[in-house]
């Protein structure tokens, strides 16, 4: 098995669990890496202070290579991207940003599918809870549950502190 770590040195490192050795150093972000998510198809997504999400295919990097490039860069946030999550069905991922938005993205094309604007401050985390539910929490002390399906609008539920 493998374990991935995000770093302030702008890299993602992939470690062999059995060997305790760094197998890959993934470079390409322009600032610190804030979060990681394993996608359902085996790729890895990383969120960064450079306002992007990168999707990495590990088989594209040679073992031990420094300077491996991501297979896709997702751009559109206007603040630090603090969190990223794989959604449980379909090929979608979600991101959370200090610009106050959550976004859903097609993980194969990189297209931004939906932008959620209802947080009153920066969003710091995002998680997939059910096949069509997404949770996000932010500096506004609110946790919101969203349906990411394109035929449903807005927050399904919210909790405030």
């Amino acid at each position: 098995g493998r374990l991935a770590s995000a770093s302030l040195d702008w890299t993602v490192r992939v470690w062999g669990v059995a060997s305790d050795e760094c197998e890959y150093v993934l470079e390409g972000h322009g600032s610190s890496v804030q979060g990681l998510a394993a996608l359902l198809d085996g790729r890895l997504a990383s969120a960064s202070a450079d306002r992007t999400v990168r999707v990495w295919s590990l088989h594209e990097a040679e073992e031990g290579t420094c300077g491996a490039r991501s297979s896709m860069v997702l751009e559109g946030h206007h603040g630090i991207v603090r969190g990223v999550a794989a959604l449980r069905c379909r090929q979608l991922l979600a991101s959370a940003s200090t610009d106050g938005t959550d976004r859903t993205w097609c993980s194969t094309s990189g297209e931004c599918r939906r932008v959620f604007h209802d947080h009153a401050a920066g969003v710091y985390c995002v998680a997939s809870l059910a096949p069509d539910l997404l949770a996000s929490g932010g500096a506004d002390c609110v946790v919101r549950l969203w349906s990411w399906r394109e035929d449903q609008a807005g927050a399904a539920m919210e909790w405030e502190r």
Side-chain angles (χ1 to χ4, degrees), residues 29-52:
H29 278 297
S31 192
S32 62
V33 180
Q34 303 283 308
L36 298 170
L39 302 183
L40 299 177
D41 61 7
R43 293 179 298 156
L44 185 65
S46 58
S48 175
D50 68 5
R51 301 183 298 213
T52 67

Side-chain angles (χ1 to χ4, degrees), residues 26 38 52 123-124 137 153:
L26 306 176
T52 67
V123 186
Y124 291 106

Side-chain angles (χ1 to χ4, degrees), residues 100-113:
T101 67
D102 295 293
R103 292 175 181 256
T104 56
W105 308 84
C106 175
S107 67
T108 55
S109 71
E111 172 191 5
C112 180
R113 288 295 194 66

Side-chain angles (χ1 to χ4, degrees), residues 116-144:
F116 300 95
H117 295 279
D118 285 350
H119 277 281
V123 186
Y124 291 106
C125 58
V126 63
S128 177
L129 298 182
D132 63 350
L133 270 184
L134 177 67
S136 63
D140 57 0
C141 298
V142 175
V143 173
R144 295 190 187 277

Side-chain angles (χ1 to χ4, degrees), residues 3 12 14-15 21 23-24 33 45-46 48 62 70-71 74 79 84-85 98-99 101 114 124 143 149 153-154 158-159:
L3 175 71
V12 175
V14 181
W15 304 85
E21 304 245 342
E23 295 179 0
Y24 301 97
V33 180
S46 58
S48 175
E62 294 180 22
S70 59
S71 60
L74 309 179
V84 64
T98 60
D99 66 8
T101 67
R114 191 145 181 215
Y124 291 106
V143 173
R149 292 177 44 194
E158 66 181 61
W159 288 272

